[in-house]
Amino acid sequence: MTERLTAKGRATRERIVSAAALLMFEHGVAGTSTEDVQTAAEVSTSQVYHYFRDKKALVRAVIAHQTEVVVGHQEQMLARLDSVASLRAWADAIVALQRELECRGGCPIGSLGSEIAEHDADARADVVLGFNRWERAIRDGLHAMRDRGELRREADPDQLAITLLTTLQGGLALTQLRRDTVMLEISLTQVIDYIESFTA
């Protein structure tokens, strides 16, 4: 449907999705009504339902939006995660962002996933695709390191990428709960130290 929209229609749809994404990040999916989105986006009820048949469709659009914000905007940086120094700089940037956000909200993709995982299979699959994209970007950098001989051949970039992403998600969840970045910093440092132990 997005491809058939006029420029004005695309802008209206994006405004609705952006407003919903911010509300769901701050209040959760359950804590965000379509009326809340309508008010925040400054659109009519009919406009919301013109672009989204129901709240589930809106949630799926928010997942796509947040995947693009979190992973898409990181992809240039993720594409350069092909050295230990760049991994550490990336971890520092994540920690700095959490401090800027005062440790609120957690991971925009992970938080959505934890809310919808047990009652919306389609949305859960969308979240999985987002995480797969994130994992692939990390994995590509690690493969590049091994291909250049900077990681020893016994290093497994696929497993290391999974370990790093899983550590990040756990660290973000605990950062949100504890309202401090200590566990996130420690866990990311430890896993990057582990990756460094495989350097040639």
Side-chain angles (χ1 to χ4, degrees):
M1 180 170 127
T2 306
E3 293 177 0
R4 297 194 298 271
L5 297 176
T6 63
K8 183 178 179 181
R10 285 194 298 273
T12 301
R13 184 184 186 279
E14 182 55 35
R15 190 164 76 251
I16 293 168
V17 174
S18 295
L22 180 59
L23 289 168
M24 290 178 189
F25 181 70
E26 293 178 343
H27 307 293
V29 174
T32 300
S33 68
T34 51
E35 291 78 12
D36 295 332
V37 175
Q38 172 196 331
T39 300
E42 299 180 339
V43 296
S44 66
T45 302
S46 62
Q47 282 177 298
V48 174
Y49 286 104
H50 173 72
Y51 297 106
F52 307 100
R53 67 182 179 277
D54 53 26
K55 186 177 176 182
K56 282 190 173 185
L58 179 57
V59 169
R60 294 189 70 184
V62 167
I63 292 168
H65 172 87
Q66 294 291 43
T67 298
E68 196 57 39
V69 168
V70 175
V71 184
H73 289 184
Q74 281 190 47
E75 277 181 337
Q76 281 194 336
M77 180 169 61
L78 291 170
R80 297 192 297 271
L81 287 187
D82 58 355
S83 70
V84 172
S86 63
L87 287 169
R88 295 198 191 282
W90 172 69
D92 289 345
I94 289 170
V95 171
L97 177 60
Q98 288 302 304
R99 288 179 180 147
E100 182 182 328
L101 294 172
E102 298 180 341
C103 302
R104 297 180 183 277
C107 171
I109 305 174
S111 296
L112 283 167
S114 64
E115 266 202 88
I116 54 82
E118 303 306 327
H119 57 265
D120 190 335
D122 290 333
R124 180 175 61 81
D126 290 344
V127 172
V128 169
L129 289 174
F131 277 122
N132 288 347
R133 183 176 168 188
W134 203 348
E135 178 196 331
R136 183 168 59 250
I138 297 170
R139 187 175 66 235
D140 288 349
L142 296 172
H143 270 287
M145 289 175 69
R146 196 175 70 166
D147 291 345
R148 291 197 307 264
E150 294 169 16
L151 287 180
R152 298 195 304 274
R153 298 309 299 175
E154 64 265 29
D156 187 327
D158 298 347
Q159 291 188 8
L160 291 174
I162 290 169
T163 302
L164 181 53
L165 183 56
T166 303
T167 299
L168 172 61
Q169 287 304 305
L172 287 171
L174 290 168
T175 291
Q176 180 184 9
L177 291 169
R178 291 166 56 101
R179 293 291 193 258
D180 69 54
T181 61
V182 173
M183 296 182 80
L184 176 63
E185 292 176 74
I186 291 172
S187 58
L188 287 176
T189 297
Q190 290 294 312
V191 76
I192 293 171
D193 284 350
Y194 179 65
I195 293 170
E196 187 174 26
S197 73
F198 287 99
T199 54

